[in-house]
Amino acid sequence: MTNEKLRELFNDLSLDEKIGQLLQVAGALYDEDALTTGAMDYFKITNEELDTVGSILSVSGAEKLKKIQDECMAKQPHHIPQIFMLDIINGFETIYPVPIAQGATFDPDMAERLASMAAREGAAAGVHVTFSPMVDLVRDARWGRCMESTGEDSYLNGVLGAAMVRGYQGSDIKEKGKLAACVKHFAGYGGAEAGRDYDNVELSEHTLRDEFLPAYEASIKAGAKLVMTSFNTLNRVPSSANKWLMRNVLRDEMEFDGVLISDYAAIKEMVNHNIARNEAEAGGLAIKAGVDIEMMSLCYSRGLQELIKEGKVDPKLVDESCWRVLVLKNELGLFENPYKDASSEDEAKYILCDEHRKLAKEAAIKSFVLLKNEDNALPIDQKSTKKIAVIGPYVETHDVYGSWTFPSKPEETCVSLRQGIEKYVDSHKVNITCSFAEGSFFYDRPSKMKNGVTYPYNEAKQAEMIEAAVKEAKTADKVVMCIGEHAQQTGEATSRAEITISKGQLELLRRVHEVNDNIVTLVFTGRPLELEEVTKLSKAVMITWLPGTEAGNAVSEVIFGDREPEGRLSMSFPYKTGQEPCYYNRFRTGRPNNGTLEQFYVNGYIDQIDRMLYVFGDGKGYTEFEYGEVLLDNTKLKTDGSNTLTASVTIKNVGNRKGSEIVQMYLSDLYGSVVRPVKSLRGFKKVTLNPGECETVSFAIDESMLRFHDINMEYVSEPGECKVYIGHNSDTENGADFELI
Ligand code: BGC
C-alpha cells in the first residue's frame, strides 16, 4: 500500500480502532491448542474488545493462522490484518543450539544462517514477527535466562544479535520466508539483582551505556523492526514507563523508529511496582514513554479513552503508536497479502527438511566447548576401545531443546544421544560395543516445572539405576557421562540459588569413577554450572549445552572424532555459585589479589580463590595451537580517528590433526579518568590449519574501539597507554603496547 493510502486508512480510523491496534493478545483466545508464555487467568477480554485487536502472539500453523486472519479481518471495522508474533528463539521446528551455545560458536555467519532457516520455517507456518534476538548482557549464571542470550560480552552479543536480525529479516521483510525481528529486552534485563528473574536492576549509567546498551544498539542498527521493553526497573523506573530510556535513548540517540512492544503484561505489572495506582494510570505512563503495543494486558484498551478525555494523555501519542503499527503491517505486505507466507505446502517442504537438520547439526558441533582433554580422552580411540558405557539422564531424553521451542515435538523429531550413537556405530561399522544406562533421575526430588510437568524421583529406583550404571562402567574401557541441568531448569522464571548439577547425578559420577576413571563427561546446560568436582573426576569435559534436533548425531561425530568440538565459552564458569556475577571484564580494583588464599586485605574471598574455573573464550579442539608475539605496525593511534593500527599474530597448529581456533583480540586502556575494565573483546577470527601450518591473523584497531563514557557521560577516548592482547581466551597475556595520542 502506498504511504498516501495508508494515511487515508489511518485518518479514517476511530480512536477505538486506533487503540485496538495497540493491543496484543494470546493466540490461546482463538485456538485452544495454542501455547501460552505467561499467565492467562487474569486476562478477561470481551468479544467487542477482541474485534479491534491489532496483533496476536504465540500461535502458529499455516492453515490455523489463515483461518484466524480471516475471522479477525471480517470483524475488524476496517478489515485491518493481524500481525502474528511468536518466540522463535533457537529454531521453529528444526531446533538448533540455544542462544548461549550460539554465542559459543563465535560465528556470525552461522547465527545469520540459523536465523534465516528459522524464519523460513516460521514464515511458512504463518508467523510474521519473532521475539528475537535477545541480546541482554548476562553475567550472573543464577539467572535462568542466560540460556537465551549469547553471553557475557557486549561486543560478541552485538555482532551475533546483528547477524540474527539480518538472518530473520533479509533485505526486505516482505520477501518470502522472512520475519521481522524484535530486539529484547530493552534494557538491562540481564542485570536482575542476584540473578532473580523480574527483579530490580541497579546499574550505573556508565555500565549501562558502556556494557549493556551496545548489543541492543548493534541489533537495532542492523535494522530490527521491533524492540521489546524489559520487565525490570532501571533507575527505579520500570522500563515500560521509562521515558528517558525509551524516548531519549532508544528513539533519539539510537534513532529507532520501529515498533516498541511491551513484554508480557509488563504494563499492568507497573501497578505491582506501585508506580501506578491502577491499570489506566499504568497505561498512561507507558504511552507517554512511547510503548506502542501492549502485550497481554488491557491498560490501553480500558484506560486511554478516559485519560484522553480528561486531558491527561495527548491523543497524538496514540496516533504516533498506531501509525507505527500500521507501517509495520504495510512493510510486511499484509494489506496486500494478509497470510504473507503461510502455506501448508511450504511447511511440509521446509520444516525439518534435510538441509535444515544438517545446519542444526553443524551449529551444534560448532557450539560444543571442550574444556579438558587429559590423555587425549577424546576423541574415542576406535582401535583400542572395545566397549563404552554411555551413562546419565541425558542418554535417552529428547528434551534437549531449551524452554522456548513450543511448536517443536522433541519426542518425534529429536535424535537422542542413544539414537545418535547407535546409528553412528552401525552406519560407520565401528567395532565398539556400546551400552547405555540412565543412571540417575534429573532431579533429587519430584519436581514440578513451569511447563506443568512433574519430573519423577524415587529413592529406591535411583539406587537401582546407579547400580545398573556402575555395572556397565566396570566392564567398559571408557565411560561417556551425559549429565547436566534439565532443559526445564533454563529460560524464563528459572533462577537458581545454586548453579549445580543435582546431587543424584554427582553421586552417579562418583560411583562410576570408583570403578572406572576413564571418564569423558558431556555437560548439558543452558548456563555455567559448578564443575570443579566434575572436572576432577573426568579426563575430558565438554559442554554440549542444549544442542537441539540433531543432538545425538552431532555428539557422535565429535566423540568418535569425525569432527572436533569448535566452540569457546560465551560465559565464564565459576568454581562456586557465590562468585556470581562472574565475568572476565571486571573493573580494576585498588586491592587486586594474586589468585591465592594466602593474602589478606585484598579483593576476593577467604574461602575461594578469586579466579574462574573456566574463563570466557576458553575451549579447545583436538589439536594444539601456538601463538607468536603480538606485532603492531605502528604504536601511535590518533584520538582524532585519522589512522588505524594493525595488530597481528602468527599462530601455528602444533598438534597432529587439522583443527580450528578462535583467535580473540582484546583491548585494554591502561589509565583513564574513570576506572576501566581489565580488558574488552574487540575482535575475533576463526582460523583452520593443518598440522604444522601457520597463519598470520590481523586485526585493525581504531580509536572508536577505545571509547567509553567519562565522568560527564561524554563518549570519548582518552590519550594514554593502551594494550592489545591477542590470544586463546580472555586470560591471555600475549600483548603489545601502543599509545593513543
Ligand atoms: C518473555 C519474552 C517473550 C514474551 C512473549 C515474556 O514472558 O519475557 O521474552 O518474548 O513473554 O512470549
Side-chain angles (χ1 to χ4, degrees), residues 598-615:
E598 307 305 312
Q599 278 185 305
F600 297 95
Y601 299 103
V602 291
N603 176 243
Y605 308 93
I606 57 165
D607 56 354
Q608 171 58 55
I609 58 158
D610 184 30
R611 292 291 183 270
M612 301 165 206
L613 178 62
Y614 298 114
V615 298

Side-chain angles (χ1 to χ4, degrees), residues 558-576:
V558 169
I559 63 173
F560 288 114
D562 295 10
R563 299 287 302 273
E564 62 166 2
E566 294 183 31
R568 301 295 184 261
L569 286 185
S570 46
M571 272 187 95
S572 306
F573 278 48
Y575 285 89
K576 296 271 182 330

Side-chain angles (χ1 to χ4, degrees), residues 276-297:
R277 277 181 188 74
N278 51 50
E279 294 191 8
E281 221 176 284
L285 292 173
I287 197 90
K288 285 180 189 160
V291 180
D292 300 315
I293 297 183
E294 175 181 18
M295 186 197 294
M296 282 305 283
S297 54

Side-chain angles (χ1 to χ4, degrees), residues 37 57 87 131 145 184-185 228 231 263-264 295 492:
T37 61
L57 87 151
D87 293 274
F131 295 129
R145 303 197 80 166
K184 68 189 189 185
H185 305 84
M228 186 186 290
F231 287 124
D263 202 346
Y264 197 106
M295 186 197 294
E492 188 175 350

Side-chain angles (χ1 to χ4, degrees), residues 106 108 155-156 159 662-665 681 683-686 699:
F106 279 70
Y155 171 77
L156 178 64
V159 170
I662 295 166
V663 182
Q664 300 158 41
M665 189 270 280
L681 183 74
F684 52 85
K685 279 184 189 158
K686 191 167 194 164
F699 295 93

Side-chain angles (χ1 to χ4, degrees), residues 622-625 652-658 690-692:
Y622 290 154
T623 183
E624 295 290 326
F625 291 94
K652 182 173 182 189
N653 181 346
V654 292
N656 49 22
R657 67 175 268 171
K658 185 176 175 179
N690 287 313

Side-chain angles (χ1 to χ4, degrees), residues 375-407:
D375 302 336
N376 293 328
L378 278 176
I380 295 167
D381 181 352
Q382 298 192 22
K383 285 199 193 98
S384 63
T385 313
K386 294 199 174 49
K387 179 184 168 186
I388 56 169
V390 189
I391 294 173
Y394 267 104
V395 168
E396 304 275 357
T397 185
H398 296 254
D399 205 347
V400 289
Y401 285 7
S403 57
W404 281 106
T405 51
F406 304 99

